[in-house]
Amino acid sequence: MMSAQQMMKVFVTRRIPQEGMKILQKAGMCNLSVWDSDEPVPRAELLKGVAGAHGILCLLSDKIDTEVLDAAGPNLKVISTLSVGFDHLAIDEIKKRGIRVGYTPDVLTDATAELTVALLLATARRLPEGVEEVKNGGWSTWKPLWLCGYGLSGSTVGVIGLGRIGLAIARRLKPFGVKRLLYTGRQPKPQAQEVDGEYVPLDTLLSESDFVVVSCSLTPDTQGLCDKTFFSKMKKTSIFINTSRGAVVNQEDLFEALSSGQIAAAGLDVTTPEPLPTDHPLLTLKNCVVLPHIGSATYSTRGVMSALTANNLLAGLTGSEMPSELKL
């Protein structure tokens, strides 16, 4: 066992699944300080908690900016986030200070791709509306055009960002009988061949797709990408799906597109802010399905994410190779 002097201080910003906590406790090198709640740590407590820390284990709801890094001080060696996204981290500043970053790609790809397909189908086939009609007595008799939606068979699907998750979504959609799979991004991807993906300009993708699926990461280039101009190029019968980050979408413009019939429907697993206020205009629309950011929410995925985050953190503390390090 290490003496108390040698123990490294680690601040954990939330209760995390047991798998990760057990790994940290067993390691016997961490002086663990945990914000022991299911709710996010208040900013003041975060700044207090990280003081003198060698490692920080955080979530995507924690903004790790210059102020937090300053509050932590010169001991800080590693930040390990329980997420694949890292738009909540001040990457340039972290890099400048030589702090290592661990994250959780790959392990949540399947769960997120499954949820994206579920959301697409639920939106296109109007499942939440259907459930509601059954409960409120709106279901009278069988009617030929009642609750009709749009199918995937023979359709064109456009994926914006054919990375790990985008490709996993495409793989799952193909067997539904999708006729063409278009994608857009910084450059063509060799792995697109596997799904017969066609690399096209964004305008082409928007005007030809029956389903537009956003699975890119949030960067200055993609911030507010889905705006009035974007939606105006889509078909009136098309469905918009976003499981990436809320800030990729201009929500006022999306509301306008949905309420004016510019596009048929939208399904979102991410919003700005999160949680979305219950009186938000988007929530008044029947043709908008909003989920509470549950892309990776399966018991096994969250357990594996937790363990990976813990192992990334320990590797950062000991200066060894991380199972999943973000290359800065």
Side-chain angles (χ1 to χ4, degrees):
M1 278 300 281
M2 287 185 166
S3 71
Q5 279 77 35
Q6 293 166 305
M7 295 281 269
M8 297 204 231
K9 180 179 168 175
V10 169
F11 184 64
V12 181
T13 66
R14 191 92 63 89
R15 262 183 224 144
I16 61 166
Q18 266 323 109
E19 290 89 333
M21 281 315 288
K22 285 193 181 120
I23 289 168
L24 293 180
Q25 284 154 354
K26 250 212 189 106
M29 66 166 96
C30 305
N31 178 2
L32 285 174
S33 159
V34 181
W35 178 254
D36 196 16
S37 164
D38 283 328
E39 296 308 315
V41 58
R43 184 75 181 175
E45 296 297 329
L46 174 62
L47 294 169
K48 230 183 349 199
V50 300
H54 295 85
I56 298 172
L57 191 157
C58 68
L59 277 57
L60 51 79
S61 46
D62 305 308
K63 224 176 166 30
I64 308 297
D65 54 16
T66 306
E67 190 184 15
V68 173
L69 299 173
D70 286 343
N75 286 345
L76 190 60
K77 298 171 185 270
V78 58
I79 296 163
S80 184
T81 182
L82 187 82
S83 64
V84 62
F86 44 85
D87 44 280
H88 56 302
L89 308 177
I91 294 297
D92 292 345
E93 193 56 40
I94 289 166
K95 183 179 177 173
K96 222 189 307 186
R97 297 175 188 225
I99 298 162
R100 294 170 69 191
V101 175
Y103 69 138
T104 62
D106 305 317
V107 296
L108 50 62
T109 299
D110 288 344
T112 306
E114 281 173 16
L115 188 278
T116 306
V117 173
L119 177 58
L120 183 149
L121 290 169
T123 304
R125 294 297 301 274
R126 303 168 68 176
L127 301 198
E129 268 184 272
V131 169
E132 192 44 48
E133 292 293 293
V134 172
K135 290 179 178 175
N136 69 20
W139 182 18
S140 53
T141 177
W142 190 89
K143 304 187 189 91
L145 288 176
W146 188 55
L147 283 175
C148 281
Y150 297 92
L152 278 163
S153 183
S155 71
T156 296
V157 171
V159 178
I160 297 178
L162 198 73
R164 285 178 287 256
I165 296 171
L167 187 63
I169 294 165
R171 274 195 203 112
R172 285 160 175 77
L173 291 177
K174 284 294 277 192
F176 281 94
V178 169
K179 191 149 92 199
R180 292 176 72 206
L181 197 125
L182 314 179
Y183 75 99
T184 186
R186 282 187 299 266
Q187 68 263 326
K189 301 260 171 134
Q191 57 272 30
Q193 285 175 306
E194 190 198 320
V195 289
D196 303 316
E198 305 171 41
Y199 183 65
V200 296
L202 181 60
D203 285 5
T204 306
L205 183 144
L206 295 177
S207 62
E208 297 183 10
S209 296
D210 300 297
F211 298 88
V212 173
V213 181
V214 182
S215 60
C216 55
S217 48
L218 176 60
T219 65
D221 286 338
T222 60
Q223 177 115 17
L225 172 73
C226 309
D227 60 5
K228 194 177 171 61
T229 312
F230 177 104
F231 296 121
S232 73
K233 290 171 183 162
M234 286 173 64
K235 297 183 181 184
K236 290 205 170 352
T237 52
S238 63
I239 309 260
F240 174 78
I241 302 293
N242 183 20
T243 53
S244 63
R245 283 291 182 264
V248 172
V249 176
N250 178 318
Q251 290 175 171
E252 288 67 37
D253 292 355
L254 175 60
F255 176 82
E256 193 46 47
L258 287 168
S259 50
S260 69
Q262 175 61 60
I263 66 172
L268 311 172
D269 185 43
V270 287
T271 59
T272 41
E274 292 181 6
L276 196 63
T278 52
D279 60 359
H280 194 280
L282 283 173
L283 301 180
T284 63
L285 300 172
K286 278 199 164 84
N287 58 345
C288 189
V289 178
V290 183
L291 297 179
H293 203 149
I294 51 172
S296 64
T298 66
Y299 291 109
S300 80
T301 298
R302 291 285 167 86
V304 173
M305 283 171 72
S306 182
L308 178 55
T309 307
N311 285 320
N312 282 339
L313 185 96
L314 293 175
L317 291 176
T318 56
S320 40
E321 194 180 333
M322 255 184 224
S324 218
E325 181 160 9
L326 182 63
K327 300 286 175 259
L328 299 181

